[in-house]
Amino acid sequence: MSNEVTYRFDYRMFNPNGWQLLKFLRLPSVRFIILYGGSSSAKSYSTAQVILIMTLFDGENTLIFRKVGASIEKSIFEDFRVSCKQLNMEDYFKFTKNSIRCTYNGAKIDFTGLDDSEKIKGISNYKRVQLEEFSEFEESDFKQIRKRLRGKRGQQIIGTFNPIRETHWIKKSWLDGEKWHDVPMRVTIDGCTIPDELTEVKSLRMNEAKTFLNPRTGEMEEHAPDIVLIQSTYLNNFWVVGSPDGTFGFYDEQCVTDFEKDRLKDPDYFRIYALGEWGVIRTGSEFFGSFNMGAHTSAVEYNQNYPIHVSVDNNVLPYISISLWQYVNEDGHHISQFDEICAESPDNTVKRAGKRLADRLRQLRYFDKLYLHGDASTRAANTIDDEKRSWLDLFLFTLEREGVEVVDCVGDKNPSVAMTGEFINAILEGEVPGIDITIGKDCSNSIEDYLSVQKDANGAILKTKVKNKTTNQTYEEHGHLSDCFRYVVHDLLREEFILFCNRRKRNLFARDGALHFYNPATSDKADISRRIIYMLPNINGKFCLLEGCKVGDKWRVVDVVYHDNTSTDEIAAAVQGRNGDMCIVECGDAYYQFVRKLRVYAGMPVRVCDEEHDPARRIAATSDYVRSYVLFNETAVNESADYSEFVTHLLDYNADKGRDMEASVLLSGFVSYAVKI
């Protein structure tokens, strides 16, 4: 350090992060210094210490960015204030709002938020730029900062953050594009070597050198490594675990104990927050709440002895989702995902995505039948293709043209979202004997999706929409690969899924621990004595219709219409063609005129009754009758999305919380009429 300044700092004030940062800030060939890792590893605090020291000794300006300016004063700015006091440097720096000026040489440290991207334009006068909470920045922000920081030799960008999802642009678009090698952790400052135990972090890596063409000389030149990755954890913070020799720092027993509890009870949380590994922080309301990276992911290789199952979702943003699976039904059911294809632009068209899948199969040297699963909506005709072929038809056509023999396993209707999610969670919890699911650890997009996707109020997938700031396109960020997961598991374990649905016990209508079903394939239609249609035109925004028939002393729920509220014309169309003895419409006054019209073309007598003012009471009153005398359609619950959702909501009904009551109100209304016959 320069002898012009008489200040000396005590080495016992530094953590390993501080020593490493001090070393690399003095190397002009290093352009980017990234400090990342677990919480309580002193990344931001160490950075504040070193920037203060560098500002004093080299007289260069530093600009500190946060994505949102309002968070500066009580976060990073406070770190600088405390660091300055701890380092006994208060005589050298003057603090004003969002700025620190060195009274010795006039250099400044400015703080600003990136609320306005125009603020990036004026950074050329700074030697250093720090991006605090780097993971909060957009990739476009970073690109602009890189381009605008120019005009001085040895300008540097420092990024500090806790790693989050593996598909974050920092990792996926930037760091993963580099080749890395470990570098020695030893630090020597002005000929003085710091003891190794004071400078060791979790990992220290640099990127490989690159060769490029100098546009001025036309000569090939080697560009030295210019990115440093410093990874640290709470174990590298002497003010959490104490110094190696025990003479300085602080042992924070409560903090260490808290991390240890996470290690034992929540390994995924510990891996991310404590160990600073890439991953997803969970909220507790995940759709696949039982999915655990430690328990359910491992190295999975394609096994040439078994066929490949592929599951697809045709949403084009953020990508067309394709997951590759294998199923082994030997000594139990073993399902494993070994690969994924996320066909982003420009490959997010049906033909390009199909071509990518075919290319992948050729790489695997797979020439057997391919079993295709996926979203039933892909069967719908589209207006884009000249022949009005469906997305699925085009996908199959592309694969077959590429020489792939495909077995179409895509259903006509999608299974219940909530029920399939619960089924998979039960498997992951080990509650369904003889079945296990393993996800290949290299399927990073799938793993992130399974960890991230949230559950909505009805137990289905909450597909939150985001907006691409560059293209202004809005799309659902998560859930597409999770849908692929649901489709393939449901199809491969169809019988086990039905059995699981039948054995659920937490509802009013189960007898001996399960709903009771009948098989329509063996039903004797001659025994049907009555057929009733019961309808709720609008209950909590849903249109519900139940068709039931009486066989002997039992009532069979033959069919159900159960979806979001629609027009009266569509409601009437749902009634037409049904050969019932009576149609009962439970509704409010607003639908009375509609009922009069319905009587004209319903093809059966139509009666109207007022809406039930106390549905919970009616549900409870009819539950015994349901348990004893009502059977459900075994085929429809598997093949009809409406029927499946109806059954799911019957099972999910919670009288105390008043949730998922529409199905129970419909059934109780039907039963209240049926018992009078």
Side-chain angles (χ1 to χ4, degrees), residues 172-376:
K172 182 179 178 180
S173 301
W174 185 35
L175 300 182
D176 283 354
E178 301 283 341
K179 294 182 179 179
W180 300 95
H181 63 275
D182 293 331
V183 293
M185 296 185 187
R186 176 160 294 186
V187 176
T188 299
I189 303 292
D190 292 339
C192 178
T193 299
I194 310 302
D196 291 346
E197 63 268 21
L198 302 183
T199 63
E200 291 181 357
V201 290
K202 182 176 181 180
S203 70
L204 183 66
R205 294 180 295 161
M206 292 189 73
N207 62 334
E208 299 285 353
K210 294 183 176 66
T211 302
F212 71 98
L213 180 68
N214 187 313
R216 183 176 61 83
T217 65
E219 299 291 331
M220 298 299 296
E221 296 182 1
E222 183 176 276
H223 182 63
D226 62 354
I227 309 174
V228 176
L229 293 182
I230 305 172
Q231 184 184 22
S232 57
T233 75
Y234 72 101
L235 298 172
N236 306 126
N237 185 348
F238 299 155
W239 274 260
V240 173
V241 297
S243 67
D245 62 4
T247 61
F248 65 96
F250 174 69
Y251 178 68
D252 191 332
E253 182 179 358
Q254 290 183 328
C255 182
V256 172
T257 301
D258 196 52
F259 278 122
E260 183 63 15
K261 289 178 181 177
D262 291 334
R263 185 183 70 81
L264 297 173
K265 296 181 179 180
D266 195 343
D268 282 349
Y269 190 87
F270 178 79
R271 188 177 59 83
I272 297 164
Y273 258 115
L275 302 184
E277 299 295 340
W278 293 91
V280 175
I281 302 300
R282 313 202 77 179
T283 66
S285 59
E286 285 78 17
F287 182 75
F288 293 123
S290 300
F291 180 69
N292 181 293
M293 281 192 66
H296 303 121
T297 66
S298 67
V300 177
E301 300 290 339
Y302 158 63
N303 188 329
Q304 63 181 0
N305 296 317
Y306 300 99
I308 292 178
H309 296 259
V310 164
S311 189
V312 297
D313 185 275
N314 64 325
N315 284 276
V316 299
L317 293 175
Y319 40 68
I320 290 177
S321 305
I322 304 173
S323 52
L324 287 78
W325 304 77
Q326 290 195 287
Y327 171 53
V328 180
N329 186 9
E330 298 173 3
D331 189 27
H333 304 273
H334 310 284
I335 300 176
S336 59
Q337 180 182 355
F338 68 91
D339 204 355
E340 64 183 11
I341 297 173
C342 298
E344 297 177 296
S345 179
D347 291 335
N348 57 343
T349 67
V350 58
K351 293 181 180 179
R352 284 177 177 261
K355 179 70 164 55
R356 282 192 59 179
L357 174 57
D359 289 343
R360 183 69 182 112
L361 295 174
R362 278 191 287 269
Q363 290 174 1
L364 295 169
R365 302 188 63 79
Y366 182 79
F367 305 107
D368 294 327
K369 291 180 181 179
L370 179 73
Y371 295 84
L372 182 66
H373 310 261
D375 188 347

Side-chain angles (χ1 to χ4, degrees), residues 528-541:
I528 296 175
S529 59
R530 297 298 298 268
R531 188 179 294 270
I532 302 298
I533 312 298
Y534 199 90
M535 177 168 49
L536 302 172
N538 187 357
I539 174 169
N540 296 335

Side-chain angles (χ1 to χ4, degrees), residues 435-662:
I435 304 176
D436 61 73
I437 298 173
T438 305
I439 309 300
K441 64 179 183 180
D442 293 330
C443 301
S444 56
N445 289 283
S446 297
I447 290 171
E448 184 198 323
D449 205 71
Y450 306 158
L451 289 171
S452 300
V453 72
Q454 302 291 295
K455 184 188 298 183
D456 69 13
N458 295 317
I461 290 177
L462 177 65
K463 293 187 177 179
T464 306
K465 291 188 176 182
V466 297
K467 186 174 184 179
N468 185 304
K469 293 185 178 180
T470 303
T471 64
N472 288 323
Q473 292 174 302
T474 301
Y475 59 91
E476 294 165 345
E477 183 177 21
H478 293 117
H480 310 301
L481 283 160
S482 292
D483 279 337
C484 293
F485 188 7
R486 293 190 307 104
Y487 301 142
V488 71
V489 170
H490 167 267
D491 293 349
L492 293 174
L493 302 173
R494 190 181 300 268
E495 293 182 5
E496 290 73 19
F497 174 71
I498 294 174
L499 189 61
F500 172 81
C501 295
N502 293 350
R503 287 180 175 175
R504 294 188 15 176
K505 300 179 180 180
R506 55 184 178 82
N507 62 88
L508 291 172
F509 309 111
R511 175 162 51 97
D512 302 326
L515 294 180
H516 280 224
F517 289 78
Y518 73 95
N519 185 347
T522 60
S523 174
D524 184 358
K525 296 183 179 180
D527 291 339
I528 296 175
S529 59
R530 297 298 298 268
R531 188 179 294 270
I532 302 298
I533 312 298
Y534 199 90
M535 177 168 49
L536 302 172
N538 187 357
I539 174 169
N540 296 335
K542 279 190 176 296
F543 162 50
C544 306
L545 178 149
L546 186 153
E547 180 179 340
C549 65
K550 192 173 185 180
V551 179
D553 63 345
K554 298 288 196 300
W555 282 93
R556 299 182 176 186
V557 180
V558 176
D559 191 23
V560 171
V561 178
Y562 190 79
H563 53 66
D564 291 341
N565 199 9
T566 184
S567 69
T568 53
D569 288 343
E570 290 173 308
I571 294 173
V575 177
Q576 285 180 296
R578 296 181 185 272
N579 299 317
D581 298 302
M582 180 68 66
C583 177
I584 313 298
V585 184
E586 180 182 332
C587 61
D589 295 347
Y591 283 91
Y592 283 3
Q593 187 65 32
F594 161 70
V595 173
R596 293 191 186 98
K597 294 181 180 179
L598 186 63
R599 286 175 174 145
V600 176
Y601 48 78
M604 71 189 88
V606 177
R607 292 183 182 177
V608 65
C609 62
D610 291 332
E611 290 177 311
E612 174 62 41
H613 70 280
D614 190 356
R617 181 181 179 184
R618 187 175 76 184
I619 293 168
T622 56
S623 60
D624 284 341
Y625 187 91
V626 172
R627 287 194 292 271
S628 300
Y629 296 102
V630 176
L631 304 175
F632 297 88
N633 188 330
E634 183 179 45
T635 301
V637 77
N638 187 51
E639 296 182 352
S640 165
D642 279 14
Y643 203 109
S644 178
E645 187 175 4
F646 165 74
V647 170
T648 298
H649 282 198
L650 278 182
L651 298 171
D652 285 341
Y653 171 63
N654 187 318
D656 294 331
K657 296 182 179 179
R659 284 187 352 196
D660 301 309
M661 75 170 356
E662 296 84 8

Side-chain angles (χ1 to χ4, degrees), residues 18-30:
W19 290 115
Q20 297 298 342
L21 184 58
L22 189 63
K23 175 174 72 174
F24 289 108
L25 278 177
R26 291 157 55 86
L27 295 179
S29 61
V30 174

Side-chain angles (χ1 to χ4, degrees), residues 381-397:
N382 69 74
T383 58
I384 299 174
D385 180 55
D386 292 339
E387 301 176 30
K388 293 184 172 54
R389 290 175 294 183
S390 69
W391 190 97
L392 181 61
D393 288 336
L394 287 169
F395 195 68
L396 290 169
F397 172 77

